[in-house]
Amino acid sequence: MAHLFDFNYSNPTQIVFGTHSFAKLGELIPPEARVLLLYGGGSIKRNGVYEQVTQALAGRRIVEFAGVEPNPTLETLEQAVALVREQGVDFILGVGGGSVSDGAKFIACAALYDGDGWDIVSGQHVPRLALPVGIVLTLPATGSESNVGAVVTKRATQQKKVFYVPPARPRFAILNPQVMASLPDRQLENGIVDAFVHVCEQYLTYPVGALVQDGYAEAVMKALKTLADTFDQRHDNAWRQNLMWAANQALCGVIGVGVPQDWITHRIAVELTALWGIDHGRTLSIVQPWLLRELIEPKRAKLEQLGRHVFGLAAPSAEDTIAAIEAFYRSLRMPLHLREAGITEPDAADRVWQAVQAHGNAALGTHAEVDAVKTERIVRAACA
């Protein structure tokens, strides 16, 4: 039976893209708003972004909160929630990458919820209301600036969870490629791989005749592969703007509408960050190739399609495509095994497997019928 598309798609986030986009901030935030300026470790003050944002908001009432971690923790974000309530903040402006965007969404919901903020992350409370959110993107990778997803870690229990909060979808996102000028190579490498795997999770299942979704997914992955091949041009604005836009489109929602998706790579990879603080992009490059080998038969047709249309292989086998993906990651100096990320603990695989089980990710189902046995084999191949 033919696969029938069944979806309801809306993405009302206004994207303001370009080198002069900061100037639009004053028009996008109501003049009477009391704004929480949320950011991370302070790099925005060194690279000039902070000055440009505050100049664009001159005369506004601004409350600042700094210190959002690269993997935002519940404990830090709850401090920001307390500040929002204390200061009567009614607009959240996140200035940073995916972690700041995720944190902004959590704060926007938690500020209007009287219960434990972890209820929102764990799904025990589904927010119906949120403070308005805007994002100034400084690091392209996650696409969080224009979707409803977020990831927060509970430091006390080392749990890192994905959750979805439609009321906190950003009202707007400022995408200015010039802010990438100060980013270290490692963050650009992470961004390419993060975006690539985002597309894979919506594409590498089985053929359903989705000409538009497949074609769009392949176009974004080809763009990311080209950016990797031309990494020596990363200081050019043309290169930067293509990465910023590709990373956004990888997870704005349109690629996955109406088609089967498979987010197992992410559900396993989050444990590596929770346990050891490994960069998210690097956890994905560690887990994905081993997952693809374990699930090669149910994914064989789409792997072969990927090899032809993205990597330009003439008559690829699924095995050829996995090898091409690994070579792609290697070209970006990404690890393909946990030990290559510097984790050499003899019980590392046991720790990951225990975390996967504890957090309900042992038997993940999906089209590939991933049970606990398959999941454990993936974990041990990537981590043992």
Side-chain angles (χ1 to χ4, degrees):
M1 180 178 177
H3 180 85
L4 299 178
F5 301 151
D6 187 3
F7 63 85
N8 186 340
Y9 177 69
S10 172
N11 191 336
T13 301
Q14 180 179 350
I15 303 293
V16 183
F17 195 106
T19 57
H20 302 293
S21 51
F22 285 146
K24 297 290 185 182
L25 266 174
E27 303 172 20
L28 294 166
I29 298 178
E32 70 278 7
R34 175 164 288 190
V35 180
L36 179 73
L37 180 58
L38 183 75
Y39 54 97
S43 62
I44 66 167
K45 291 188 175 180
R46 296 188 295 273
N47 63 18
V49 172
Y50 175 87
E51 182 179 1
Q52 293 180 72
V53 169
T54 52
Q55 284 181 352
L57 296 178
R60 307 299 179 94
R61 296 176 296 172
I62 297 176
V63 178
E64 294 187 27
F65 186 92
V68 177
E69 306 94 334
N71 292 287
T73 64
L74 176 74
E75 291 82 354
T76 295
L77 297 177
E78 286 188 325
Q79 295 176 39
V81 170
L83 182 64
V84 165
R85 292 171 175 165
E86 175 188 314
Q87 297 293 326
V89 165
D90 53 18
F91 197 102
I92 313 296
L93 179 65
V95 182
S99 294
V100 170
S101 299
D102 291 356
K105 295 173 192 175
F106 172 83
I107 294 165
C109 295
L112 302 181
Y113 176 57
D114 292 332
D116 184 345
W118 189 249
D119 293 346
I120 297 170
V121 181
S122 65
Q124 295 182 55
H125 171 69
V126 179
R128 298 182 184 277
L129 297 172
L131 295 175
V133 173
I135 301 296
V136 176
L137 185 68
T138 63
L139 173 61
T142 69
S144 183
E145 68 275 6
S146 67
N147 64 41
V148 301
V151 184
V152 167
T153 298
K154 190 174 186 179
R155 188 189 302 125
T157 58
Q158 292 186 314
Q159 287 176 274
K160 182 178 180 181
K161 293 186 72 69
V162 180
F163 59 103
Y164 301 92
V165 281
R169 183 194 292 273
R171 304 286 180 88
F172 65 83
I174 300 288
L175 274 62
N176 183 341
Q178 288 187 329
V179 304
M180 298 166 60
S182 62
L183 293 177
D185 288 353
R186 184 184 180 102
Q187 290 186 329
L188 298 176
E189 293 158 358
N190 286 342
I192 292 173
V193 172
D194 195 359
F196 186 86
V197 179
H198 283 160
V199 182
C200 287
E201 302 278 60
Q202 301 166 85
Y203 171 92
L204 273 180
T205 55
Y206 55 93
V208 296
L211 300 180
V212 172
Q213 293 92 322
D214 278 2
Y216 202 0
E218 290 159 6
V220 174
M221 288 189 286
K222 284 172 68 176
L224 293 164
K225 174 66 167 57
T226 298
L227 292 168
D229 292 342
T230 58
F231 198 77
D232 61 338
Q233 299 175 28
R234 61 195 177 280
H235 302 300
D236 295 343
N237 204 54
W239 191 96
R240 293 171 184 154
Q241 69 184 9
N242 275 297
L243 176 55
M244 184 166 267
W245 187 232
N248 176 273
Q249 292 298 285
L251 201 54
C252 70
V254 69
I255 285 173
V257 294
V259 299
Q261 301 182 31
D262 189 345
W263 290 87
I264 300 178
T265 297
H266 275 74
R267 292 179 69 177
I268 296 174
V270 295
E271 305 298 352
L272 308 187
T273 298
L275 287 167
W276 295 290
I278 302 170
D279 303 3
H280 177 59
R282 282 165 157 72
T283 67
L284 299 174
S285 68
I286 289 168
V287 172
Q288 190 201 37
W290 302 100
L291 178 144
L292 295 177
R293 289 190 175 92
E294 176 65 33
L295 307 180
I296 194 167
E297 292 309 325
K299 296 182 183 292
R300 182 172 291 278
K302 288 304 283 286
L303 278 166
E304 292 172 356
Q305 183 176 329
L306 175 63
R308 288 192 303 274
H309 295 169
V310 175
F311 290 99
L313 305 177
S317 65
E319 291 82 358
D320 293 337
T321 300
I322 295 171
I325 291 172
E326 288 187 318
F328 168 50
Y329 295 163
R330 287 282 189 214
S331 75
L332 293 167
R333 301 181 297 180
M334 303 295 282
L336 299 180
H337 193 277
L338 187 62
R339 63 177 174 270
E340 295 175 11
I343 308 301
T344 57
E345 300 169 16
D347 65 341
D350 291 334
R351 292 182 65 189
V352 175
W353 176 233
Q354 289 166 9
V356 167
Q357 295 178 89
H359 300 150
N361 290 325
L364 295 167
T366 79
H367 73 100
E369 299 180 356
V370 179
D371 57 15
V373 173
K374 291 178 182 177
T375 305
E376 184 175 7
R377 283 202 294 257
I378 295 165
V379 167
R380 296 199 178 279
C383 303

